Every structure is written in C-alpha cells, then in structure tokens.
Amino acid sequence: MFNIDSLLRKNIRDLKPYSSARDEFKGEASVFLDANENSLGSPLMKWYNRYPDPLQIKVKEKISFIKKVPTAQIFLGNGSDEPIDLLYRCFCDPGKDEAIIFPPTYGMYEVSANINNVKLVSVPLLSNFQLDLEALESAITPFTKIIWICSPNNPTGNAIDRQDIEMILNNFDGIVVIDEAYVNFSRQKSFVTDLQDYPNLVVLQTLSKAWGLAGIRMGIAFASEAIISCLNKVKPPYNISEPVQELALKALDEIGQVNDMIQQIVSARISLESALLKSSHVLKVYPSDANFLLVVFDNASAMYNHLLKKGIVVRDRSNVLLCENGLRITVGTESENVKLLDAIQSFA
Ligand SMILES: Cc1ncc(COP(=O)(O)O)c(C=O)c1O
C-alpha cells in the first residue's frame, strides 16, 4: 500500500518550511513594509520591486481550468528539472535509497540522482523501445522509491504502452513519475486524467515544448495533494519570478494558437520523416510521438560533422544504448527543415 509518510525522508517529514513574509500575510493591505523590498522600485521597471506569489495561484488557476485538475494538485517549477530534483530530495535518502530509469531516456533523471547521491538502477528498454517489465520486477528492491517513465520518450520518440505503465502504477508502492514533456505531439492520452486513481502518480509537463516557451522556464508537476505539499515544502520560496508568471498567464490564454502550432509541427514531422527516408544515407526513421525524430544514418558521426560544417546542429545520440548511428533531429521551421534536407543531400 502506498503510504506517503513512510516514503518521505524523515528530515523532510519533520521539516519546518521557510515561511515568507507573503505566506504569513492574509487579507487586504495597501502599505507593504513586511518583506524588506525596495519601496521606491527599480528605475528600470518600478513594478518588479515586490516578491512574486510563492504559490503562483493565478497561473495555477489557468492551468487548473485547462487541465481540469485542482490547483492544490499542481506544482510549478523552474522548468521540469526543478520538480525532478525536488522529488529526489523529498523521497530519496542519499546513500541509501534507489530510483529506476529505462534507458535510453532523458538525461536529467540520472544527473539529478547523482547530484543527490541516490543510487540509480537502469532497466534498459527492449529493442522495440518498450518497457522490460520482467527486468523491472527483479530490479525493484525495498529501497526503490521512484520509477521514472518518459512517455513519449526522449530520445527514442515513442510513447510507452499504457498497459505497462498501468501495471507499474498498480503494483509499485513508491512514486511513479510519468514525464509527459512531449505528450501534446502524441496520440497517447495524458495520465493527468488518472490522478484520482493513483496516489503515487506524478505527471510532469512543461511549457518548453508544445507551448513554445523553453526560454521562460516553467515546468508543471501534477500529483495528489499530499505529494504536491511535499514539493511546496522543499522548494525555494519564490521559485517562479514575477515576469515568468506574467508571461505564463498571457500564454495560457492562447490555447487555440498552441493547438494550431501542435498540428503544424506534427504535420511537418510527417513530411520531414518521408523526405528523410528518400536519402540514401538514412537507414531508418523511428516512428515519433514527439516533436523530434530519431534517425539512423549509415555513418552518424560523419553526418553530424557534415551538418555542423553547414551550421546545423542536431543531437548526436550515436553512442547511446540502442541508438547506434542515431541522430536526434528536432522538427524545425519550414525553411530550417529545407536547409537540413539540402545539407543531408549534399553529403558525399
Ligand atoms: C523528457 C524531457 N523532460 C523534461 C525536459 C526538460 O523540460 P524543461 O524545459 O521543462 O526543464 C526535457 C527537455 O528536453 C525532456 O526531453
């Protein structure tokens, strides 16, 4: 049985969190002399002299409306990388607890585990890029606290089978994180609608991909209220700046435009895939549920260097498990995709 108290690190369970001036104030006021801000404001931008809302309620209300998830089940971070780190800090005792990843996958689960001195156990994906549930079963120990599932997966681009994820959610009593950074480009349904069924589920999404806002740094974690309270307890008090909250509020009103953009990117991905397959240097393009393609070349490092010389940077994944001779290519604008295809064609 999932029991958050027994899962939490003892020091976090006992932690008295920082209480900011704005946390303690409730009600109406017009004179704010409680937070040692500069009451005159900056000559550059007077209106940024106040600390931002520590819990970003207005932004969460918009996300809540779009995703149909209560605000108390939403956490906002400085990119998804912040909740990734906070989940380790909340649930994994350094030097003792363990987490599981399914490589090849997004690199930050491992980097964050190393930063937090948490043992990471790898259960490689099968050759069809799906989960090896048998190997997973033998990898789980009494110290396993978090399982990271990236779906659609980076760098392979595929969605992970829903039944396999459900099997893990139903049988593992620790935290199951589903990183859905690319879910908007996928035919796969988000697990956000399944939060009521799984108290151990954390769904990560981000404004960096479909929303087109990687530069503002806003990641979202959806989970039970109990898990979200733990993340809030541990996060830096003002982790999302005021300009970022303002930009996110504006962006979240533009869901229609975002949906159009998603369609545009998905259809560009389909065209790019068929154009790539016409090149004699391309051996395979893996099916993608994301905004990138994993492409197998006859000689990936030679192609990578050739593209670099033409001023085109792609991600060399050729040394990554199961991705031999693979380059991960983001779907670009129409003209970027044309430049890419021309450059590939010019490869001797
Ligand atoms: C699977 C996955 N999760 C998370 C991220 C990072 O997201 P963010 O920009 O919100 O930190 C990436 C970035 O490439 C990613 O591929």
Side-chain angles (χ1 to χ4, degrees):
M1 269 288 283
F2 175 74
N3 177 339
I4 190 149
D5 280 334
S6 65
L7 212 60
L8 261 182
R9 283 170 62 186
K10 184 177 177 313
N11 64 312
I12 303 297
R13 199 167 54 232
D14 298 344
L15 179 75
K16 192 170 175 303
Y18 179 74
S19 175
S20 70
R22 289 298 127 80
D23 281 329
E24 288 178 6
F25 163 75
K26 284 191 180 56
E28 292 288 314
S30 54
V31 181
F32 288 96
L33 303 175
D34 58 340
N36 296 346
E37 294 146 334
N38 179 335
S39 298
L40 306 181
S42 156
L44 229 55
M45 285 169 283
K46 298 243 174 250
W47 52 94
Y48 286 135
N49 61 331
R50 301 296 179 190
Y51 284 105
D53 174 3
L55 289 173
Q56 311 99 20
I57 290 303
K58 285 187 184 146
V59 183
K60 286 179 184 169
E61 279 168 355
K62 288 228 159 130
I63 295 174
S64 166
F65 177 76
I66 295 169
K67 302 281 175 180
K68 312 282 177 261
V69 174
T71 52
Q73 290 185 251
I74 301 173
F75 172 86
L76 299 180
N78 181 0
S80 314
D81 295 337
E82 185 174 18
I84 291 172
D85 174 63
L86 292 177
L87 285 162
Y88 281 119
R89 290 208 259 157
C90 287
F91 295 107
C92 296
D93 256 320
K96 180 178 149 220
D97 288 330
E98 302 173 5
I100 292 180
I101 55 164
F102 301 100
T105 193
Y106 179 50
M108 278 309 288
Y109 315 136
E110 181 167 0
V111 174
S112 235
N114 291 339
I115 291 168
N116 286 289
N117 192 23
V118 172
K119 181 175 164 191
L120 198 67
V121 177
S122 287
V123 178
L125 292 176
L126 298 166
S127 57
N128 63 357
F129 297 151
Q130 291 298 328
L131 305 183
D132 184 344
L133 290 182
E134 269 179 39
L136 172 64
E137 201 176 347
S138 8
I140 294 173
T141 75
F143 297 103
T144 311
K145 296 292 181 69
I146 304 179
I147 297 180
W148 299 95
I149 301 167
C150 186
S151 182
N153 187 42
N154 173 6
T156 56
N158 62 299
I160 301 298
D161 284 345
R162 200 177 171 85
Q163 280 159 312
D164 289 356
I165 298 180
E166 284 168 355
M167 173 79 94
I168 298 174
L169 281 165
N170 285 317
N171 291 289
F172 176 64
D173 289 334
I175 303 286
V176 178
V177 186
I178 308 175
D179 185 343
E180 294 188 339
Y182 301 99
V183 78
N184 303 77
F185 305 107
S186 169
R187 287 149 290 186
Q188 182 196 51
K189 194 171 139 267
S190 168
F191 271 88
V192 159
T193 47
D194 299 66
L195 284 168
Q196 320 80 289
D197 299 334
Y198 302 110
N200 56 340
L201 169 63
V202 178
V203 178
L204 296 181
Q205 293 189 0
T206 177
L207 296 194
S208 297
K209 311 293 177 184
W211 289 87
L213 288 168
I216 77 168
R217 311 305 300 131
M218 185 174 284
I220 311 166
F222 300 95
S224 62
E225 263 190 70
I227 294 177
I228 296 298
S229 312
C230 301
L231 298 178
N232 282 335
K233 205 172 166 187
V234 176
K235 80 177 180 74
Y238 304 107
N239 62 326
I240 308 284
S241 71
E242 183 66 24
V244 168
Q245 294 193 38
E246 286 172 8
L247 288 167
L249 274 176
K250 278 196 191 151
L252 289 163
D253 279 337
E254 302 303 334
I255 192 152
Q257 280 190 48
V258 170
N259 284 334
D260 290 348
M261 192 160 60
I262 292 166
Q263 280 190 1
Q264 212 177 311
I265 292 171
V266 169
S267 76
R269 180 189 76 204
I270 294 166
S271 313
L272 184 62
E273 177 180 357
S274 48
L276 282 165
L277 282 168
K278 291 192 181 120
S279 163
S280 58
H281 299 292
V282 172
L283 304 185
K284 182 168 187 163
V285 180
Y286 283 101
S288 173
D289 262 305
N291 64 339
F292 59 84
L293 293 166
L294 180 63
V295 184
V296 182
F297 287 88
D298 47 1
N299 184 343
S301 33
M303 181 60 79
Y304 178 81
N305 290 323
H306 168 76
L307 292 177
L308 261 192
K309 280 196 204 116
K310 301 264 174 194
I312 300 172
V313 198
V314 297
R315 191 89 149 113
D316 186 357
R317 300 282 83 184
S318 57
N319 291 323
V320 171
L321 180 79
L322 298 177
C323 299
E324 289 76 21
N325 271 318
L327 299 182
R328 194 195 68 197
I329 302 179
T330 308
V331 177
T333 60
E334 221 174 301
S335 74
E336 287 169 337
N337 296 338
V338 168
K339 278 186 194 152
L340 171 83
L341 292 164
D342 286 349
I344 291 174
Q345 204 170 19
S346 72
F347 183 66

